[in-house]
Amino acid sequence: MSTPATITRAGGAARIAEEIGAAIVAGVYRPDELVPGELELCRRYGASRSVVREALKLLSAKGLIESRKRTGTRARSREAWNALDADVLAWRLKNGAEPKFVFDMLHMRAVVEPAAAAMAARSHTPATLAAIEEAFAEMERAANDAALYADPDRRFHKAILVATGNDFMAAFAALIEVALGMFVRIASRHAGAPAPSVPLHRAVLEAIRRRDADGAYAAMLALIDRTSRNVERNVRRAKRRT
Amino acid sequence: MSTPATITRAGGAARIAEEIGAAIVAGVYRPDELVPGELELCRRYGASRSVVREALKLLSAKGLIESRKRTGTRARSREAWNALDADVLAWRLKNGAEPKFVFDMLHMRAVVEPAAAAMAARSHTPATLAAIEEAFAEMERAANDAALYADPDRRFHKAILVATGNDFMAAFAALIEVALGMFVRIASRHAGAPAPSVPLHRAVLEAIRRRDADGAYAAMLALIDRTSRNVERNVRRAKRRT
DNA sequence: CCGGACGATATGTCAGACATATCGATGCGC
DNA sequence: GCGCATCGATATGTCTGACATATCGTCCGG
């Protein structure tokens, strides 16, 4: 089966890991026990065992699986997953996340981001402040177009986390970026132009600029509260629809 | 070279990933470019290319490396690392962490753990509360033995994060556990018995038990502040010694 | 009824080959 | 002399088939 046709011939180990990873977090393979054997996966994805095994290593590095000899490879339970890994987060969001998961994410953002804004107010440098300002400027320009608004929005939140000067806070950026990609899907589905959120972002920026840590904390908290309310409203609406 | 003697014959892919990962975060391989080729790694670790490649996949899943064809495998710069991965954290702490990194970790704990204590105060169940209480009881018993104290201390902080009922907070437990393993090395090297920290932990537990979110927040913040002061004192002392 | 031996089966490891992309040098034409 | 296409060297990527190793079930004997 060397170089078979061209069917399903795109990624390699990464593509296979992508599919299996998504399946695991979607609950296709239940915690403890399960997961098809390597040669079955070879057949299913039309790849050699080397590639399949490399894909499995990618997943094992993220805490999704664990292999033992004779027994086979089993999906690990949710507590073992690296929930703070961007790929794992993306997989969990892929197939329509449950409300509890969305709110967990929002609660964590409500903890981390206001604190990050306060740290950024204390620690920003000309360069990191400029990155925040640049992102905000583009948000203002796109205030009437939800599609154009999403990207600078991500950059805005990321720039603040980076401006903290704290490696761990900066590491959250990868998570927040993935999460924002979903929140706009949920929160702005029924909302109009993103213009109303611009003043809230401006308040964060200005507090950071004048090194007002408490003000930045409060402004960011207000911003996330608004997102939470939007999401909550839409989740309720979706539930009513079912 | 099938089954060579028994020398350096322990782990497999995990062991090799361990060594290379530690080397990368230690700065042996500088950001962008670098890292020996696969066959060179085979020679160096006495393993076949399959095993080496699987080890490299483990590292690539954590953002430490990136491979391209002809060019080779390069170490990625620090911003790309999954800083919130427990293994990456452990590697960074392995070879005596720099002060900045230790304080970054403490600042993050000061953001996350007080908020977690507050969430736990609101959301704990009989089972999750019992886990906190059990860990604290053992801390009291080991109040005069630093060696015995470390393990229940870890369990105490982890139990609180789990008691939040929030998946992301619970995911921090893996990080905190690794970090605590180092803080006791740094903070208690010159400290006596851990007894003085027991009342601070008790205050956290009791606030959670009576569902006093604000009190739990404040008590946990006080606890971490004390750790920060201990670490700071020891870092200064270490610097003076050099 | 219990316990040890044994075979079946999964992952783990090895070896060698070919595929593929890309960097760098070479040499051609202008 | 200079730019550009060509080609070879070299790294990772993939495939194949074999053997090693641990462990679960089963079967057999005490």
Side-chain angles (χ1 to χ4, degrees):
Chain A
M1 196 184 288
S2 58
T3 319
T6 47
I7 188 67
T8 62
R9 204 110 235 339
R15 190 186 67 85
I16 297 178
E18 188 80 17
E19 291 201 34
I20 302 179
I24 290 175
V25 302
V28 175
Y29 305 118
R30 300 253 148 234
D32 272 329
E33 294 302 336
L34 282 316
V35 180
E38 291 175 359
L39 32 89
E40 163 66 15
L41 293 173
C42 291
R43 197 190 56 71
R44 197 174 299 188
Y45 295 104
S48 72
R49 204 152 84 93
S50 323
V51 176
V52 167
R53 283 183 58 81
E54 286 170 13
L56 292 177
K57 290 295 180 189
L58 287 172
L59 297 177
S60 118
K62 296 178 186 300
L64 292 187
I65 58 171
E66 193 174 23
S67 297
R68 281 164 49 187
K69 296 221 162 161
R70 155 82 186 180
T71 314
T73 301
R74 56 188 68 197
R76 302 183 68 186
S77 61
R78 194 185 299 165
E79 310 95 58
W81 299 350
N82 287 20
L84 302 175
D85 180 287
D87 290 322
V88 173
L89 177 61
W91 290 329
R92 294 179 83 166
L93 294 178
K94 198 174 176 181
N95 312 305
E98 326 131 31
K100 159 140 184 348
F101 185 68
V102 176
F103 289 125
D104 277 4
M105 182 75 201
L106 280 165
H107 286 140
M108 191 199 61
R109 289 188 62 193
V111 167
V112 170
E113 293 203 64
M119 289 177 65
R122 289 190 212 95
S123 308
H124 70 77
T125 66
T128 55
L129 179 61
I132 304 174
E133 287 171 331
E134 187 278 332
F136 177 72
E138 194 169 329
M139 289 173 75
E140 276 188 311
R141 256 176 274 132
N144 292 309
D145 186 333
L148 289 178
Y149 191 80
D151 184 58
D153 191 13
R154 270 201 292 268
R155 290 213 309 280
F156 181 86
H157 288 269
K158 172 174 181 163
I160 289 174
L161 289 161
V162 170
T164 61
N166 183 310
D167 278 10
F168 294 99
M169 290 293 167
F172 271 103
L175 285 188
I176 304 292
E177 285 192 279
V178 172
L180 283 180
M182 177 207 54
F183 287 140
V184 299
R185 278 212 320 270
I186 295 184
S188 75
R189 199 178 309 158
H190 302 282
S197 93
V198 169
L200 291 168
H201 283 82
R202 192 201 322 277
V204 175
L205 168 59
E206 288 177 353
I208 290 176
R209 184 150 45 194
R210 65 175 183 268
R211 299 202 177 275
D212 172 7
D214 291 340
Y217 186 99
M220 180 63 90
L221 189 55
L223 176 53
I224 295 186
D225 273 350
R226 178 179 175 279
T227 303
S228 294
R229 276 194 305 274
N230 275 356
V231 170
E232 199 160 358
R233 191 167 51 238
N234 281 289
V235 166
R236 247 202 305 274
R237 199 176 309 184
K239 197 181 295 175
R240 209 176 311 137
R241 212 171 21 238
T242 43
Chain B
M1 194 184 284
S2 60
T3 319
T6 48
I7 188 68
T8 62
R9 206 105 232 345
R15 189 186 67 85
I16 297 178
E18 189 80 15
E19 291 200 33
I20 302 178
I24 289 175
V25 303
V28 174
Y29 305 118
R30 301 249 149 238
D32 271 329
E33 292 303 336
L34 281 317
V35 180
E38 291 174 358
L39 34 89
E40 163 65 16
L41 293 172
C42 291
R43 198 189 55 72
R44 197 176 297 188
Y45 294 104
S48 71
R49 203 152 85 92
S50 323
V51 177
V52 167
R53 283 183 58 81
E54 285 170 14
L56 293 177
K57 289 296 180 190
L58 287 172
L59 297 177
S60 117
K62 296 177 187 300
L64 293 187
I65 58 172
E66 193 174 23
S67 297
R68 280 162 49 188
K69 296 225 161 157
R70 155 82 183 180
T71 313
T73 301
R74 56 189 67 197
R76 302 183 70 184
S77 61
R78 194 184 299 165
E79 309 95 58
W81 299 350
N82 287 20
L84 301 175
D85 180 288
D87 290 323
V88 173
L89 177 61
W91 291 329
R92 295 179 83 165
L93 295 178
K94 197 174 177 183
N95 313 304
E98 326 132 29
K100 194 251 184 217
F101 184 69
V102 175
F103 289 125
D104 276 4
M105 183 75 202
L106 281 165
H107 286 140
M108 192 199 61
R109 288 188 62 195
V111 167
V112 172
E113 292 202 65
M119 287 176 65
R122 288 189 214 98
S123 308
H124 71 75
T125 68
T128 56
L129 179 61
I132 305 174
E133 287 171 331
E134 186 278 331
F136 177 72
E138 195 170 328
M139 290 173 74
E140 276 187 311
R141 257 177 272 133
N144 292 308
D145 186 334
L148 289 178
Y149 190 79
D151 184 58
D153 192 11
R154 269 201 292 271
R155 290 213 309 279
F156 181 84
H157 288 269
K158 172 175 180 161
I160 289 174
L161 289 162
V162 170
T164 61
N166 183 310
D167 277 9
F168 294 98
M169 290 292 166
F172 271 102
L175 285 188
I176 305 292
E177 285 192 280
V178 172
L180 282 180
M182 177 207 56
F183 287 141
V184 299
R185 279 212 320 270
I186 295 186
S188 74
R189 200 179 307 158
H190 301 280
S197 94
V198 170
L200 291 169
H201 283 82
R202 192 198 325 275
V204 174
L205 168 59
E206 286 177 354
I208 290 176
R209 184 150 43 195
R210 65 174 183 270
R211 300 203 177 274
D212 171 6
D214 292 339
Y217 187 99
M220 179 63 89
L221 189 56
L223 177 54
I224 295 186
D225 273 349
R226 178 179 176 280
T227 303
S228 295
R229 277 195 303 276
N230 276 354
V231 170
E232 200 160 357
R233 192 165 52 237
N234 282 288
V235 166
R236 250 203 304 274
R237 199 177 307 185
K239 199 182 295 176
R240 209 178 310 138
R241 211 169 26 238
T242 43

